[in-house]
Amino acid sequence: MAERVLVIGSGGREHALAWKLAQSPFVLQVLVAPGNAGTAENGKISNSAVSVSNHAILAQYCKDHNIGLVVVGPEAPLAAGIVDDLMAAGVRCFGPSAKATQLEASKCFAKDFMDRHGIPTARWKAFTDPEEACSFIQCAEFPALVVKASGLAAGKGVSVAANKEEACKAVQNIMQEKAFGSAGETVVVEELLEGEEVSCLCFSDSITIACMPPSQDHKRLLEGDQGPNTGGMGAYCPVPQVSKNILQKIRENILQKTIDGMRREGIPYTGILYAGLMLTQEGPKVLEFNCRFGDPECQVILPLLSSDLYELIQATLDGKLSKALPSWLESSTAVTVVMASGGYPNCYTKGREITGLSLVKDLGLQVFHAGTARKDGNVVTNGGRVLAVTSINKDLIRAVEEANKGVEMIQFQDAVYRKDIAHQAIAFVKRSRGLTYKESGVDIAAGNALVHSIKPLAVATSRPGCNAELGGFAGTFDLKAAGYSDPILVSGTDGVGTKLQIAQMCNKHDSLGQDLVAMCVNDVLAQGAEPLFFLDYFSCGKLDVDTAQTVIAGIAEACKIAGCALLGGETSEMPGMYSLGQYDLAGFAVGAVERGQMLPKLEHICAGDVLIGVASSGLHSNGFSLVRSILKKTSLQCSSPAPSSYGSQTLGDVLLTPTRIYAKALLPILRQGFVKAYAHITGGGLLENIPRVLPKGLGVTLDASLWKIPEIFSWLQRSGILSEEEMARTFNCGVGAVLIVDKENAEVVLRNVRGCYEAWIVGSVVLHKTGCEKVAIKNLMKTLHLSQQADESDAGGELGQCEGQTRKMRVGVLISGTGTNLQAIIEHTKDPASHAEIVVVISNKIGVEGLKKASRAGIPTRVIDHKLFGSRSEFDSAVDQVLQEFSVELVCLAGFMRILSGPFVKKWNGKLLNVHPSLLPSFKGVNAHKQVLQAGVQVTGCTVHFVAEEVDNGAIIAQKVVPVKVGDTEEMLSERVKEAEHMAYPAAIHLVATGAVCLGEDGKICWKVQDSS
């Protein structure tokens, strides 16, 4: 339902806010109080005469007129506590509290705050005595030439002096002549910083910030930055002089630090934070903070906002900014030129008629009114800064020209404006510069950053013969140090094919490293060789360091699994060769085998030998061009549900299952001497890879009914209507490697292989008849169809494979340390039969073991440090925000050592579980085991219950009894109760997730099934 919105203020900023809010389909009407001629009866926008200084009257007005949101433009109402008063009255109001507004309302507070939190700013000192201030100016060890009224002065309370005498005059003007009234009772004398001035603004919900593009205001009245200071004569956005690197520093070292610091001091900051900055040689430094949109910055920032401002403000107020980050018009520039009354910023005449407004509108330009009013049907001047003309264009210079053209078409007596807005930016973009490698698309710095980040990953793969240190021109390997006496080197190279495209579609890159290593070292193993070292090749159009690091971290981890060293590699950035986000991979492995141990032993293979099939993990890395064609044919996405035997996994998850690495596990078995040949079932499937290790005159017969075929192969055959030959020639069909052994040793080898992987005797070696296939497979289609039927039976028919598969309840776990019971809950949810899945683990402490457990299990983690929040409710709000981010449906406390606030518990009522180490209602609170032993009872146990506001008083879901033994200590009893908790907690989660148990409206357990055991 559309809402009414009230904007407080009367300037160009407020017109821009109303203009942008009115574009939202969720806004019925925008009222502006008091507004100006531009906001009077303009479509959805109209003015209101309500008093904004009497907050009680204003709150009642909002209720009477069904106003759902108030947006405050200027600083004075914020400092007067308008947000606090309206929110207290139940009216949603956007802006910081009065306490938070001190960042702007008191220069002394702001400077002290920056010093406390290490936020870069100019050196300074505050004074209440004008003589002391002047004395300081004369003898300060830095150029103390900036004098500021500490209080609010409508943006005009700053004097930048040319010399010490001027600075002292500014002190006298502010303090003795009361130029700014009570705002000048205290002055701040600052160091004069040198550099370029810019404005950086952000949205803040007190935790997350969303930066706006940087802008630059023009304070001086006249061209060439001459004349007196004003509220601003024009602006442009974005600022090309501010690089991405500088913007990142501003975000991290200034804006985020400020929001974090305010929250740490118990003053959460929600609203707009404006940082006026000087880009010095030492980096960006803060000149001032404002607690609202700047004017005229607002008039160039909002036209570039492509998101819905109303929705953005609501998300900010709800603490959900992280889920509603704004988007902006890319490659566009906005320029605004302000027209002021003659005599501004001093005395000026009002009531001058303004003409030409409609002509400017016809040019497609936007006019934002400020000091205007309606009189006798005409628009007249009513302030110092009268209006601003804004232009948007892909080209900065064209935008300036269009805005200037618009200004020239508007006429009123004694109008003053500048024609050189954005002159610094224009000089910057016109500056003659030679081409750079980076501008050509190759970022050497990014490449160096990647190498720096992966060096420790490579070192971790070191092994005898190689220390795996990256950075040289080439890598070396010492075969003697690796224990070889008469070695033969074996090499293999491969890629992962179009499985890359599936990974890029899913934005999941962490498993590709194992695919790459496996494809190479599994080939080397076919010669009986131990993989010694590995090199990788990563090529892309534009290097994304995070993606590349994720891929190479996977390669390093896979090298450790394979027992080889990551000796080196090449990262190649080739602009124009790949689309954005695309990359390619290749790998190269070198192994060694003693001369007498090489495979295959062709002369020893004979008819009657047995084939042992070693299970694959799935598709491995072959056949993906056919897989992608099947996906396209069926109109399915990688995000579509996988066949039902895979639980809650998507097709993308199953297809990206990493290739199994056989090298380290099978090598000792190969070295025993019983294996005559090993075939890696790679590209070409079963039909083309087994013949590669057979002597002439021999073939093999396989019986597909003897091994387990993963359901993904049945799904592919069925969906693509693939022939038996196509299946066998393209895919491994569940067998990733084949060993050939004589019949007498088959059981011994099979037993050894089964110690590592699932394996079966799958066929035998036979004499090959000329003209026949060397590999004959029986029962392949029959077994594929049986696998399909079994799955459909389990899932309740074909529908069960997609829409009807078991839906898992999304669980969030809160921990403080090791995460008592976390491992038990993880293991329960990893069971395919489980009706729950952990989607996030949240800790209030950094680096605890529970977070590591979650990471090892592939579960996302978040840290929300309770020390950074001023109250329990603020901390709980941050936790709630993350739970909502992950769409959590059930919250489990596992060793969470914080007491949750009442509002949090109420919100999650019936969806919040905890376990207590006693049989409740007995022995509540802390030291339960001590209470049990002191009471002398014979049994105790644990209780899983819904959390209620009163500690340990929620409705009981499950209990497990533990006997108290003679001689028990608290420690002994605690260990046995923990074992009971490991069983009871998963059982309770199962009851809730299946819907067997829920919390009734009366606060009591409601059983939905008869059998609750």
Side-chain angles (χ1 to χ4, degrees):
M1 181 178 174
E3 276 194 331
R4 285 187 172 86
V5 179
L6 175 65
V7 175
I8 305 295
S10 62
R13 166 183 51 220
E14 288 72 40
H15 187 184
L17 284 166
W19 169 79
K20 193 66 182 178
L21 285 164
Q23 294 173 12
S24 172
F26 303 104
V27 172
L28 177 67
Q29 182 184 20
V30 182
L31 298 170
V32 187
N36 54 46
T39 56
E41 306 304 324
N42 183 1
K44 283 187 184 180
I45 307 170
S46 58
N47 291 337
S48 170
V50 64
S51 169
V52 297
S53 58
N54 189 318
H55 299 168
I57 293 175
L58 182 61
Q60 191 59 49
Y61 173 87
C62 291
K63 293 176 182 179
D64 293 343
H65 291 79
N66 297 317
I67 290 171
L69 174 67
V70 177
V71 179
V72 184
E75 63 276 15
L78 293 171
I82 190 171
V83 173
D84 310 68
D85 293 341
L86 290 184
M87 294 287 268
V91 178
R92 282 170 76 82
C93 187
F94 181 64
S97 65
K99 274 190 175 180
T101 306
Q102 290 179 96
L103 280 175
E104 178 173 4
S106 170
K107 301 291 188 295
C108 288
F109 174 87
K111 299 294 280 191
D112 273 331
F113 174 86
M114 286 186 272
D115 287 349
R116 285 197 301 274
H117 293 279
I119 296 167
T121 187
R123 290 174 286 181
W124 67 287
K125 195 168 183 180
F127 300 93
T128 55
D129 182 292
E131 291 185 6
E132 289 182 9
C134 288
S135 177
F136 176 77
I137 289 168
Q138 295 297 335
C139 62
E141 59 184 23
F142 54 82
L145 300 177
V146 180
V147 180
K148 298 179 178 179
S150 182
L152 295 176
K156 304 182 186 72
V158 179
S159 176
V160 181
N163 49 52
K164 294 178 180 181
E165 289 70 27
E166 272 191 27
C168 287
K169 284 181 182 178
V171 170
Q172 292 168 2
N173 183 47
I174 294 171
M175 301 191 79
Q176 293 177 321
E177 297 173 20
K178 306 290 184 183
F180 305 108
S182 60
E185 290 176 358
T186 299
V187 296
V188 170
V189 178
E190 276 188 8
E191 171 187 15
L192 177 66
L193 296 177
E194 293 185 358
E196 191 157 352
E197 192 173 339
V198 296
S199 306
C200 284
L201 289 76
C202 68
F203 293 90
S204 167
D205 64 3
S206 81
I207 296 174
T208 302
I209 66 168
C211 292
M212 305 179 203
S215 55
Q216 188 173 67
D217 184 13
H218 295 65
K219 288 292 186 186
R220 299 284 187 168
L221 180 69
L222 305 176
E223 291 173 14
D225 293 323
Q226 301 297 310
N229 264 351
T230 69
M233 292 301 293
Y236 65 95
C237 176
V239 181
Q241 303 92 299
V242 180
S243 66
K244 287 184 179 179
N245 184 41
I246 293 174
L247 197 57
Q248 185 66 16
K249 288 180 180 177
I250 293 168
R251 175 190 171 85
E252 293 175 357
N253 299 336
I254 295 173
L255 297 174
Q256 189 67 60
K257 253 190 179 182
T258 301
I259 298 304
D260 291 345
M262 292 292 279
R263 187 177 65 250
R264 210 172 283 128
E265 295 192 5
I267 313 174
Y269 192 104
T270 299
I272 303 296
L273 178 65
Y274 170 128
L277 307 168
M278 185 69 80
L279 303 181
T280 73
Q281 289 186 344
E282 294 80 32
K285 292 186 178 182
V286 179
L287 296 173
E288 64 174 354
F289 282 126
N290 291 334
C291 297
R292 32 72 189 184
F293 275 108
D295 187 341
E297 290 92 342
C298 187
Q299 292 92 302
V300 287
I301 291 173
L302 289 186
L304 296 180
L305 177 66
S306 54
S307 300
D308 186 315
L309 178 61
Y310 172 82
E311 288 189 293
L312 189 54
I313 288 174
Q314 293 287 15
T316 304
L317 286 172
D318 290 336
K320 297 179 181 178
L321 183 55
S322 63
K323 297 171 72 174
L325 295 174
S327 56
W328 305 88
L329 293 178
E330 294 187 8
S331 305
S332 291
T333 296
V335 175
T336 197
V337 178
V338 170
M339 298 184 74
S341 296
Y344 173 79
N346 299 310
C347 297
Y348 51 83
T349 302
K350 298 181 181 180
R352 308 287 198 192
E353 184 180 347
I354 304 169
T355 61
L357 293 172
S358 60
L359 298 175
V360 175
K361 187 176 180 180
D362 291 341
L363 290 177
L365 304 177
Q366 181 62 44
V367 178
F368 292 114
H369 290 243
T372 63
R374 289 192 178 274
K375 183 179 179 181
D376 300 328
N378 297 318
V379 178
V380 298
T381 63
N382 195 43
R385 289 189 298 170
V386 176
L387 52 81
V389 178
T390 299
S391 168
I392 301 173
N393 199 290
K394 297 284 185 183
D395 181 75
L396 169 66
I397 296 173
R398 287 292 302 277
V400 172
E401 291 172 349
E402 288 172 358
N404 285 337
K405 184 177 180 180
V407 165
E408 289 171 1
M409 299 179 77
I410 297 174
Q411 302 289 321
F412 60 88
Q413 189 176 339
D414 299 327
V416 177
Y417 54 88
R418 291 178 58 164
K419 296 181 181 179
D420 66 343
I421 300 302
H423 66 92
Q424 288 174 300
I426 292 171
F428 179 82
V429 297
K430 282 185 172 180
R431 189 182 307 159
S432 177
R433 295 183 297 163
L435 286 174
T436 67
Y437 206 10
K438 185 174 181 179
E439 287 170 342
S440 300
V442 180
D443 191 340
I444 293 175
N448 291 338
L450 175 62
V451 172
H452 179 75
S453 68
I454 64 177
K455 273 187 176 182
L457 302 176
V459 169
T461 68
S462 297
R463 52 152 294 156
C466 174
N467 60 14
E469 288 188 1
L470 303 182
F473 288 101
T476 61
F477 194 96
D478 186 342
L479 286 168
K480 278 191 175 181
Y484 287 91
S485 56
D486 185 19
I488 291 177
L489 293 179
V490 180
S491 65
T493 186
D494 212 333
V496 296
T498 56
K499 188 172 186 176
L500 277 168
Q501 290 190 283
I502 302 291
Q504 289 160 9
M505 286 161 61
C506 296
N507 194 28
K508 187 177 186 299
H509 313 278
D510 55 347
S511 60
L512 291 174
Q514 180 166 331
D515 289 313
L516 186 65
V517 173
M519 294 299 288
C520 295
V521 299
N522 288 347
D523 279 354
V524 167
L525 192 62
Q527 305 296 318
E530 173 193 13
L532 301 177
F533 61 86
F534 187 86
L535 300 110
D536 71 271
Y537 175 76
F538 181 101
S539 60
C540 58
K542 181 172 178 57
L543 181 61
D544 182 323
V545 174
D546 290 339
T547 299
Q549 184 179 357
T550 299
V551 172
I552 296 169
I555 292 172
E557 188 61 33
C559 284
K560 288 194 280 186
I561 295 171
C564 61
L566 179 55
L567 191 57
E570 166 70 3
T571 301
S572 179
E573 192 172 21
M574 298 186 287
M577 289 289 289
Y578 299 90
S579 299
L580 186 65
Q582 288 189 334
Y583 57 88
D584 199 4
L585 292 174
F588 183 83
V590 172
V593 58
E594 295 290 1
R595 193 174 299 273
Q597 295 178 356
M598 283 189 67
L599 292 180
K601 299 175 182 177
L602 295 177
E603 67 279 9
H604 294 151
I605 299 173
C606 59
D609 284 344
V610 170
L611 272 66
I612 294 174
V614 186
S616 69
S617 59
L619 292 175
H620 285 184
S621 299
N622 301 108
F624 274 86
S625 293
L626 179 55
V627 170
R628 291 187 300 109
S629 294
I630 292 171
L631 284 176
K632 186 175 181 181
K633 173 180 177 287
T634 57
S635 300
L636 292 174
Q637 307 294 323
C638 288
S639 57
S640 300
S644 63
S645 65
Y646 294 98
S648 63
Q649 288 184 288
T650 64
L651 274 174
D653 294 332
V654 175
L655 296 175
L656 289 175
T657 301
T659 307
R660 184 161 281 164
I661 295 175
Y662 298 112
K664 203 168 186 179
L666 291 187
L667 191 63
I669 296 171
L670 300 186
R671 286 176 171 173
Q672 289 174 352
F674 297 138
V675 177
K676 299 179 180 181
Y678 155 99
H680 178 205
I681 310 304
T682 179
L686 293 164
L687 296 184
E688 295 191 6
N689 285 291
I690 297 175
R692 296 166 74 178
V693 296
L694 292 175
K696 289 182 179 179
L698 294 179
V700 299
T701 60
L702 304 176
D703 186 345
S705 68
L706 298 176
W707 75 81
K708 179 181 176 183
I709 299 181
E711 195 203 337
I712 189 64
F713 295 103
S714 300
W715 180 85
L716 287 167
Q717 188 279 322
R718 180 174 68 252
S719 301
I721 319 174
L722 305 181
S723 68
E724 184 174 58
E725 182 182 0
E726 195 67 35
M727 289 296 299
R729 198 176 297 281
T730 306
F731 302 115
N732 64 60
C733 296
V735 176
V738 170
L739 309 181
I740 300 178
V741 299
D742 60 43
K743 198 170 185 178
E744 291 73 20
N745 295 315
E747 286 300 327
V748 174
V749 174
L750 180 62
R751 187 165 57 249
N752 290 338
V753 174
R754 281 180 170 170
C756 306
Y757 309 112
E758 197 172 5
W760 318 266
I761 292 176
V762 297
S764 61
V765 177
V766 296
L767 293 172
H768 176 241
K769 294 179 182 178
T770 305
C772 296
E773 289 283 357
K774 295 201 77 169
V775 178
I777 306 176
K778 298 187 294 184
N779 298 317
L780 180 56
M781 292 302 280
K782 179 181 177 181
T783 307
L784 286 166
H785 292 156
L786 284 172
S787 173
Q788 170 190 342
Q789 290 163 12
D791 171 62
E792 290 178 5
S793 174
D794 292 342
E798 186 75 20
L799 183 64
Q801 294 179 27
C802 297
E803 296 170 11
Q805 72 176 29
T806 302
R807 182 185 175 280
K808 292 182 180 275
M809 181 172 278
R810 298 173 68 82
V811 177
V813 183
L814 307 188
I815 65 171
S816 291
T818 58
T820 309
N821 297 304
L822 175 60
Q823 191 61 42
I825 299 172
I826 290 173
E827 289 171 5
H828 167 70
T829 56
K830 291 296 182 183
D831 186 333
S834 173
H835 284 66
E837 62 175 335
I838 304 176
V839 294
V840 65
V841 172
I842 302 172
S843 172
N844 64 309
K845 294 182 180 178
I846 299 171
V848 296
E849 179 59 29
L851 293 173
K852 297 174 185 175
K853 288 179 184 176
S855 295
R856 287 195 292 268
I859 299 168
T861 61
R862 292 287 189 275
V863 176
I864 304 175
D865 188 347
H866 63 276
K867 296 175 184 175
L868 300 179
F869 297 85
S871 66
R872 265 197 302 153
S873 59
E874 289 174 24
F875 169 74
D876 289 355
S877 177
V879 172
D880 180 64
Q881 184 176 327
V882 175
L883 293 173
Q884 291 185 61
E885 177 187 343
F886 284 88
S887 302
V888 168
E889 299 167 287
L890 180 68
V891 181
C892 295
L893 309 184
F896 185 64
M897 306 306 292
R898 302 285 301 170
I899 297 175
L900 295 165
S901 62
F904 183 93
V905 173
K906 282 181 181 176
K907 176 172 182 179
W908 289 92
N909 186 41
K911 297 177 285 186
L912 184 60
L913 305 188
N914 196 13
V915 64
H916 183 73
S918 78
L919 296 175
L920 293 175
S922 300
F923 311 117
K924 295 181 179 180
V926 296
N927 302 319
H929 302 307
K930 184 177 181 180
Q931 294 180 56
V932 166
L933 294 175
Q934 287 176 344
V937 297
Q938 294 184 358
V939 294
T940 183
C942 64
T943 303
V944 186
H945 60 92
F946 286 110
V947 176
E949 286 191 70
E950 187 177 341
V951 177
D952 299 332
N953 202 46
I956 295 170
I957 304 168
Q959 292 183 310
K960 190 163 183 64
V961 173
V962 175
V964 181
K965 298 180 179 180
V966 176
D968 261 344
T969 63
E970 288 181 43
E971 291 75 16
M972 295 163 62
L973 186 58
S974 172
E975 286 304 311
R976 292 207 308 283
V977 171
K978 279 181 186 175
E979 291 176 10
E981 290 178 5
H982 297 340
M983 292 182 276
Y985 215 150
I989 292 171
H990 182 74
L991 290 171
V992 176
T994 56
V997 164
C998 67
L999 189 66
E1001 291 183 6
D1002 58 357
K1004 295 179 180 179
I1005 288 290
C1006 178
W1007 294 95
K1008 297 291 183 71
V1009 294
Q1010 294 296 315
D1011 180 10
S1012 60
S1013 59

